[in-house]
């Protein structure tokens, strides 16, 4: 039983899971969220944003014993369903191994479940609609304003953990501290995104339910993830400028229809509300936030507050949930000394956060362009065969990141990038001819990859 | 004669030079500075910070016709005077070409000169001790607070240019604008710096006047630049942690004396006030700020506000003065259309700002470590010989950056880095044997450099 009082700023996915785990350890928790309680808010059915949930996220969920309750919310996606301009489709599995899949899950559904569980603990005080105004990172005191009454109040804790997302106020407090010499970067892609939808027909999914659908178009792309109610949440990733169509020139229904008919004809046929949705829904930016250190004295940041990434690996929530698992491991290792845990977490987790940030940027290019290229398809075929025949001997970059939660993101990045380069090179140069057995091909790939990795070490 | 009203926030070196140039063009200028007028402030003689002033800075100064007045303030430095641990010294010239030198100049002396010249113009309104609180980047309106009276006032201009340094308030206003998707990074070195001094003896410099003195010690270093009054401003660059001595453990006079006696014995002998200065003077951080874009609607940032760099290439002020020259070129090209000029400047200058930021980081490592290494010394010898014998055919990285102001920083970085890599490789592998003529050696270096640069282009 721990007697410290922790203030957690932000009750999104990361903050709620963290509060639950720390409540289970017996800490006194104040969990404060800026927005209204999403369990009471009027959210139109099926229109909530969905997310990809996979093994690293599950690692965090297992820590709090919620795997069975989360499973009910999940729709398995076995691979990418690629749609070409002529409406042909092709399923590209995520892994050659059976039982390796990712899941589509509702953000609000998952968040609601976590909040329900948090509220079962008497040692948690949950406050909604209170925006953090300022944090004293040395004394663990934070000021809030109640958004309904406009009344200010403050919370004096023993420690503060900021899980308040990409625009974190807690992070801004760290940044203002000159003594800390806080390194920080925010970088935006040339592309933004907009959410749209494919509604159910007679309560059923109108396209194949158990896949993440992609319409890769070189510079831009459309994707769709299934919801439990039979709908799909569709996301358009489009450049702000340049090319024939972009967010700056899609300014009237006519040109929007023209673009979708031309580039995404099969999706377009299933989106009768496109014109309305396109202009009703916001266009949002795609940014990466990196910073260091994540802690100072009595304050720590975690999740998107510490490492916001672009969504292209489906790892944002998974990385945040893994943060909670990693932090929990460290807490146990240092015998619940929070000062030591904050410092250790900030130092050891940073490299993996940078790893997934880089990987997510890699995958942006891979998804919108490479998935449709012949050499890339050959590589995928080969890797799937390796994974199927030699499950203990090979995992693709995607599998390393998504299904091998015991390997850190950084190591997954280094090995995964090397494998990608080596296989594409070997295929291009004809060094993996047909007459070789699969086993022989695997040996060649592994030898070249290891040699490449050794060279990298020497070059550093 | 231009009829627009420009508000320039910050009357440091960049803001003062810019105000002067724009006043010469006939614009109405309001120039607002947070600090008191440095011409009236009580600054102890000879203790003001000095800077390295070289050809790119001169390019800006020539634009306003002040080269003769600036020359009076300059002390030429012909090279680096290297001091080893046994107090041996060795002069390493900056260039093999005569007439290529950099200058030590007083920051406050130069700023005072620029302010004097600014005040000669009736179309400039100069306001001191007014801190910018907020900027409306769309309407070109800025709020200030008078630091003596605490009274707020605002300035409504046609355009705003922020030259308010590394902690720019104008940049923060751009950053707050979500529509802009402002990319930003601040990164700190593991090292900080502290200014100390070597006082004059009988009004004379106690060590060789016409050099930039360096005591390279691997991880840390001391440097000294001459002042007109016979003193030197000495700067210690030291890690905050790690190693035997660092800023975190130099906590009492005894250990400071011990460190200086051991690592900088000849300098220590000339610094009787070391103990007092070390604890009286602040320790400051070394940061790099990068951002993009530099403009939005009626607002632009320039100088350190747009690109703060570490001081190791002596190019901070030079880059800012070159900004003014580049902006002036653009203004003339676009026929004084300020909207066009802001946009063009932000787009075209960014690459060179990134270039000098990278180069300055390179030189940190070169100055504290490489300057004392045998292979590096051989490389310098060879490059100096090339520059002397074939002045039209070769310029070292240092010369490209410092003395070739017609080449952009970016190009200087790309070519300079390639040359460095190639020469070090050739020397190490014995590919530049003694029996070759200097001309033959130059041909080998040029061939390899060009091949390396071609490979780089292919690899991108």
């Amino acid at each position: 039983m721990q007697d410290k009082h922790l203030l957690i700023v932000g009750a999104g996915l990361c903050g709620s899971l963290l509060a639950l785990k720390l409540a289970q350890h017996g800490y006194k928790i104040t969990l404060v969220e800026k927005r209204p309680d999403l369990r009471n808010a009027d959210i139109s059915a099926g229109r909530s944003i969905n997310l990809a949930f996979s093994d690293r996220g599950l690692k965090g969920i297992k820590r709090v014993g919620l795997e069975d309750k989360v499973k009910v919310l999940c729709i398995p996606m076995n691979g990418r369903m690629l749609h070409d301009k002529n409406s042909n489709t092709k399923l590209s599995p995520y892994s050659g191994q059976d039982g390796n899949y990712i899941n589509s899950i509702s953000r609000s559904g998952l968040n609601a479940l976590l909040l329900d569980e948090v509220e079962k603990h008497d040692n948690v005080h949950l406050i909604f609609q209170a925006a953090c105004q300022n944090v004293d990172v040395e004394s663990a005191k934070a000021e809030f304003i109640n958004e309904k009454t406009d009344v200010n109040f403050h919370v004096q804790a023993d420690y503060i953990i900021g899980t308040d997302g990409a625009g974190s106020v807690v992070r801004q407090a760290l940044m203002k501290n000159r003594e800390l010499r806080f390194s920080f970067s925010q970088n935006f892609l040339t592309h933004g995104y907009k959410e749209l939808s494919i509604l159910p027909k007679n309560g059923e999914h109108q396209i194949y339910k158990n896949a993440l659908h992609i319409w890769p178009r070189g510079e831009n792309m459309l994707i769709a993830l299934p919801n439990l109610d039979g709908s799909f949440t569709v996301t358009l990733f489009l450049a702000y400028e340049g090319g024939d169509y972009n967010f700056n020139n899609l300014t009237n229904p006519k040109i929007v229809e023209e673009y979708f008919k031309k580039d995404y004809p099969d999706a377009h046929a299933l989106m009768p509300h496109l014109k309305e949705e396109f202009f009703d829904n916001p266009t949002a930016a795609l940014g990466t936030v990196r910073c260091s250190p994540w802690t100072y004295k009595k304050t720590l940041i975690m999740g998107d507050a510490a490492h916001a990434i672009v969504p292209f690996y489906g790892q944002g929530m998974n990385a945040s949930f893994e943060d909670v698992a990693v932090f929990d491991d460290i807490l146990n290792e240092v015998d619940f000394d929070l000062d030591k845990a904050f410092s250790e977490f900030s130092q050891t987790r940073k490299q993996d956060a940078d790893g997934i940030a880089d990987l997510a940027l890699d995958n942006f290019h891979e998804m919108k362009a490479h998935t449709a290229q012949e050499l890339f398809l050959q590589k995928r075929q080969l890797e799937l065969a390796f994974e199927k025949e030699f499950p203990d001997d090979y995992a693709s970059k995607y599998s390393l990141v998504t299904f091998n939660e015991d390997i850190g993101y950084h190591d997954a990045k280094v090995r995964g990038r090397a494998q990608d380069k080596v296989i594409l090179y070997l295929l291009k140069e004809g060094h993996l001819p047909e007459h070789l057995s699969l086993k022989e091909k695997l040996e060649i790939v592994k030898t070249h990859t290891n040699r490449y990795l050794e060279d990298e070490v020497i070059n550093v």
Side-chain angles (χ1 to χ4, degrees), chain A residues 288-458:
Chain A
T288 300
V289 172
R290 300 174 201 245
C291 63
S292 168
W294 295 345
T295 187
Y296 184 71
K297 304 223 166 150
K298 300 298 174 187
T299 302
L300 174 74
I301 50 175
M302 197 183 282
D304 282 3
H307 49 74
I309 62 177
V310 294
F312 303 105
Y313 234 107
Q315 286 290 323
M317 176 241 296
N318 291 291
S320 293
F321 281 7
E322 195 179 54
D323 276 5
V324 175
V326 169
F327 184 69
D328 188 44
D329 284 341
I330 291 171
L331 259 188
N332 281 285
E333 277 162 29
V334 301
D335 203 18
F336 297 90
D337 178 329
L338 284 160
D339 294 290
K340 276 191 195 160
F342 281 17
S343 164
E344 180 74 11
F345 179 75
S346 174
Q347 281 172 45
T348 57
R349 182 66 174 157
K350 167 70 176 159
Q351 179 173 258
D352 286 324
D354 283 338
I356 189 57
D358 294 337
L359 285 162
L361 291 166
D362 282 3
N363 228 30
F364 174 50
H365 304 290
E366 185 168 319
M367 285 177 81
K368 66 188 171 59
H370 302 168
T371 49
Q373 288 172 4
E374 180 53 29
L375 204 61
F376 177 85
L377 295 175
Q378 281 180 35
K379 177 174 85 69
R380 279 303 290 162
Q381 283 311 113
L382 189 65
E383 290 190 286
L384 290 172
F386 287 163
E387 290 183 337
K388 194 179 170 68
E389 294 298 317
F390 313 103
D392 297 332
D393 264 6
Y394 193 82
S396 70
K397 182 170 85 170
Y398 190 88
S399 290
L400 287 167
V401 173
T402 309
F403 305 120
N404 287 262
E405 71 273 21
D406 295 333
I407 296 169
Y409 283 126
H410 173 76
D411 291 343
K413 176 183 91 174
V414 171
R415 174 142 212 110
R417 280 183 172 177
Q419 287 174 176
D420 281 358
K421 279 201 179 173
V422 161
I423 298 181
L424 288 171
Y425 165 81
L426 293 171
L427 285 171
K428 200 173 151 201
E429 300 292 322
H431 293 328
L432 296 169
E434 280 307 309
H435 65 79
L436 295 180
S437 72
L438 194 61
K439 180 82 189 163
E440 287 168 325
K441 288 179 182 172
L442 178 62
E443 288 311 314
I444 293 173
V445 167
K446 288 183 76 170
T447 305
H448 276 79
T449 300
N450 290 335
R451 197 182 297 159
Y452 181 91
L453 288 170
E454 278 161 25
D455 283 353
E456 288 264 294
V457 171
I458 291 162

Side-chain angles (χ1 to χ4, degrees), chain A residues 106-120:
Chain A
S106 148
R107 175 193 289 272
S108 60
L110 181 56
N111 208 151
L113 168 64
L114 291 169
L115 289 171
D116 286 346
E117 296 296 321
V118 163
E119 280 193 333
K120 291 179 184 170

Side-chain angles (χ1 to χ4, degrees), chain A residues 7-16 30-38 111 115 125-132 144-147 153 163-165:
Chain A
L7 167 63
I8 299 176
V9 181
L13 293 169
C14 183
S16 301
T30 304
L31 175 60
V32 188
E33 168 58 38
K34 186 172 66 175
R35 279 163 286 215
D37 188 342
L38 55 76
N111 208 151
L115 289 171
H125 180 197
L126 183 50
I127 304 170
F128 288 100
Q129 279 179 278
C132 187
F144 295 88
I145 186 165
N146 181 299
E147 303 242 307
F153 65 98
T163 50
D164 50 342

